[in-house]
Amino acid sequence: MKNKTDVLIIGGGIAGVSTLYHLTKMGWTDVMLTEKLELTSGSTWHAAGNLPHFSNSYNVMKLQQYSIALYSRLQEETGQPVDHHMTGAVRLAHTQDRMDEFKRVAAMSDLAGLDLEIIDNQRLEELYPYLDTTGLIGGLWDPADGHIDPTSVTNAMAAGARAAGATIVRNNPVDAIEQQANGRWKVTTAKGVIDAGIIVNAAGFRCNEVAAMVGHQLPVCSMEHQFVVTDNVPELEERDSMLPMLRDPDVSYYLRQEGKGLILGPYEKGGIPWATDGVPAAFGQELLQPSLDRIEDIMCTAMEQVNIIGNAGIKTVVNGPITYTPDGHPLIGPVHGYTNYFVCTGFNFGIVQGGGAGHFMAQWIVDGHPELDLFELDPRRFGDYANHAFSVAKGTEVYANEYQLGFPNEYAMRPAQRGQKKSPIYQRQAEQNAVFGAYFGWERPSWYAPKGTQPVEQHSFRRGNWFEAVAGECLNVKNHVGLLDLTPFTKFSISGDNAHQWLESISPNRIPDHTGGIALAHPLTQEGGIAWEYSITKLADGSYYMMAPAVGELLEEDWLRNRLPEDGSVTLQNITETYGCLVIAGPDARKVLSQLTSADLSNEGFPWFTGQEIDVAGVPLRALRMNFVGELGWELHHPIEHQIELYDALMEAGRAYNICNFGLRAMDSMRLEKGYPMWGHDLTTEFTLLEANMGFFAKFDKGEFEGKPALLAQQEAGVPKKLVTLELHGTDVDAAVGMEPIYCDGKVVGQVTSGGYGFRCEKSLALAYIDSDMLNAELTVQVLGQHYPASRIKGVAYDAKGERLKSNA
């Protein structure tokens, strides 16, 4: 066994082997994989091997698309059989909500270059002649869906990796892991010690055993998943071709042909977590005890819909563990607080995602980030609130909701493990009938339900029960004054002799050099893509106060710490939970604040986009004259222990001015009207600062900064896409989920990144990236199966001159 390698992958399931294979494809051949038992031990070998393109996430769809395309050519490339069957697949819709979901995903597939098709019951019966379509309103057809043998495809990638020079060591469990002073890893295994530059934890349901050796815990649990394999079915014995895959997400099962029999796989509501106290040491390629009574109801319904299921006996019941994360997406990327350490685990659809996961994992290792912005799969999307109990409860909840409709906000409002992090004024918000969602563990008001009604969102792809309430919140901010809690903002203190110079080196924009100055900046990738964003204020003592998106807290901290000078000349502190933030906004904001402070709040005394240390209602705080809604207002950053008294004072002083709370939905509506892009939606690593139409934040006449050469090269060559604001016409639905395609003469020319209704301007709006040569073309946006004319708004939809936010009234 070799004892030194550039990259060591721990775990020989499909994700680990795929990572090894793709590293060799990128030219890294001094790479190695160690497996405790045999390749495919764990969950890979007993997986059903289904290959859907379908996903409510565009990036997950692209990841799965990559896998399927790879598998279709892998046998020819490696000479190893993979047993790939492209049978096509139908999905059934019992409700209009489900059909709305299918229409949205089918439109999204146009962006991906796929061919998903909405079909009626007649076409369902043609494609699946044994299906009883009673109670159905149609379905979705994917001609490129199918299945593959998990063991064969994993071994084919292993053969390809070995042929390129990679090393695979089987029956070699890892016993200890230690990071050395030089950043390399000392990995002790049964067959010797391995010196590795980078390690990848791809250990599947044993990933937390490996994580514990490193010194942390991953948000992963294992669930029992059963599927039934039947004896031969007479009707199938008479067929020359395979049946398509069938999925009924409303009943919650999949059905596919296996030889001349069938596989039926239900996802029951009462899922069983497995090995929550640790995986048995000797467990490998074993199965768990079947428990058919748990899935009996779903099986009976499936037999009523597809009567040939009942024409064959049960040959085998496969009950094996599969991994689940708290949101059902895998963990792919770096681990917070570590260097040279990645994870590629937590797959509940490991076979269809394994090929793409290895591809993007290899890009992350070699290039520093993947070609897609995969923050939704980054393990740093979970904070330390995602402990063992949280992971088990949420994993069980995800399993029960495997086929849940992908409504906006639905996941954030699920009940399990709520209340992990709360602002001190949480109870005040609850008393005002707030409808909360959980984001990065924080309970945040999405909107406020009318008094006398239940604070519950009725989820929909259309305008739901929140619509009128959010309209009221927006109009109150426009006409009077509103209060928004942004306490979950990520907040950093940056100080030291070299702080200003260091911040200049990581920022495309200039960093303020005078007290109270504020700047907005966007750290970039080497290719000019937007890694994240922050605002930064210079304080009187010479230090800096940085604010960044709440959900990106761990990514942002890692990004900063990995770039800190080694000489200690810059100090970084995460002070997120030390400070709260209340935003007061609206034409009466100055009148309310003036009752509580002696500070001069006029334009002359407190100019727009500046900050001051002032007292409000006796609370010393940092007031920043800016906001994300485009009205006169201030962010009030205060010691968290004073939040309740500050909130109460603001509400009391604002009573005469009709002050009301507003939530995230209202903020989102108002920022769309102002054309303010949001990180994670409109701002990602996939688009440059120039494409985001924010080139004015890049000061090319200052010193060097990351991504500058790429921006200059793009500026010279021409910017291929531009972020614009669109108005949709003649619609009573909005592009509110994102990734709706934009067409010109039937050709896709752009994509919506975020959208919704602007209540102040009374327009359906969308922010979208459009091909630069199509900016003035006649466009349509496809929303829930319909094409709506769309016109570009030059400038912004509301208060184009910015007079309201700079008001001196």
Side-chain angles (χ1 to χ4, degrees), residues 180-398:
Q180 307 298 294
N182 61 2
R184 294 181 66 86
W185 295 90
K186 175 184 177 183
V187 182
T188 304
T189 74
K191 296 182 179 180
V193 175
I194 302 169
D195 175 9
I198 293 169
I199 58 172
V200 180
N201 181 349
F205 58 62
R206 293 191 183 275
C207 65
N208 266 321
E209 295 178 18
V210 174
M213 297 180 202
V214 176
H216 71 105
Q217 183 179 11
L218 290 168
V220 176
C221 79
S222 295
M223 298 293 299
E224 295 187 17
H225 176 59
Q226 300 183 100
F227 60 84
V228 173
V229 184
T230 74
D231 292 320
N232 285 3
V233 178
E235 291 84 351
L236 299 184
E237 291 180 324
E238 298 172 3
R239 290 177 61 91
D240 295 327
S241 61
M242 273 193 163
L243 278 175
M245 170 82 73
L246 181 147
R247 295 180 182 86
D248 190 326
D250 292 317
V251 179
S252 194
Y253 72 89
Y254 59 84
L255 181 70
R256 75 160 172 85
Q257 187 168 339
E258 174 72 5
K260 293 299 182 179
L262 294 165
I263 285 180
L264 172 63
Y267 289 93
E268 69 276 20
K269 292 294 182 185
I272 304 297
W274 176 75
T276 57
D277 294 328
V279 179
F283 191 88
Q285 289 188 318
E286 293 90 3
L287 292 174
L288 308 175
Q289 187 67 32
S291 180
L292 285 179
D293 59 316
R294 299 207 317 261
I295 59 175
E296 182 178 3
D297 289 348
I298 299 176
M299 291 177 61
C300 289
T301 303
M303 288 182 207
E304 292 173 5
Q305 292 179 286
V306 184
N307 56 27
I308 63 171
I309 300 174
N311 296 344
I314 294 175
K315 180 168 69 176
T316 308
V317 179
V318 175
N319 185 17
I322 54 176
T323 53
Y324 271 78
T325 65
D327 62 4
H329 286 327
L331 307 174
I332 305 174
V335 177
H336 171 59
Y338 293 90
T339 57
N340 302 326
Y341 173 43
F342 297 82
V343 296
C344 189
T345 191
F347 296 86
N348 53 322
F349 290 104
I351 305 307
V352 71
Q353 294 176 356
H359 171 64
F360 294 121
M361 184 77 270
Q363 288 183 334
W364 218 319
I365 292 169
V366 176
D367 297 333
H369 63 89
E371 64 193 76
L372 298 179
D373 191 318
L374 293 181
F375 181 72
E376 64 189 305
L377 308 184
D378 192 313
R380 295 170 295 187
R381 70 188 186 270
F382 298 109
D384 57 9
Y385 62 88
N387 57 23
H388 178 66
F390 181 95
S391 301
V392 172
K394 294 300 285 187
T396 304
E397 183 181 61
V398 169

Side-chain angles (χ1 to χ4, degrees), residues 71 78 133 250 298 319 399 411 465 484 502 599 619 642 701 724:
Y71 300 162
T78 65
T133 58
D250 292 317
I298 299 176
N319 185 17
Y399 183 89
Y411 172 77
N465 67 325
L484 172 70
W502 176 70
V619 176
H642 293 298
D701 59 348
V724 300

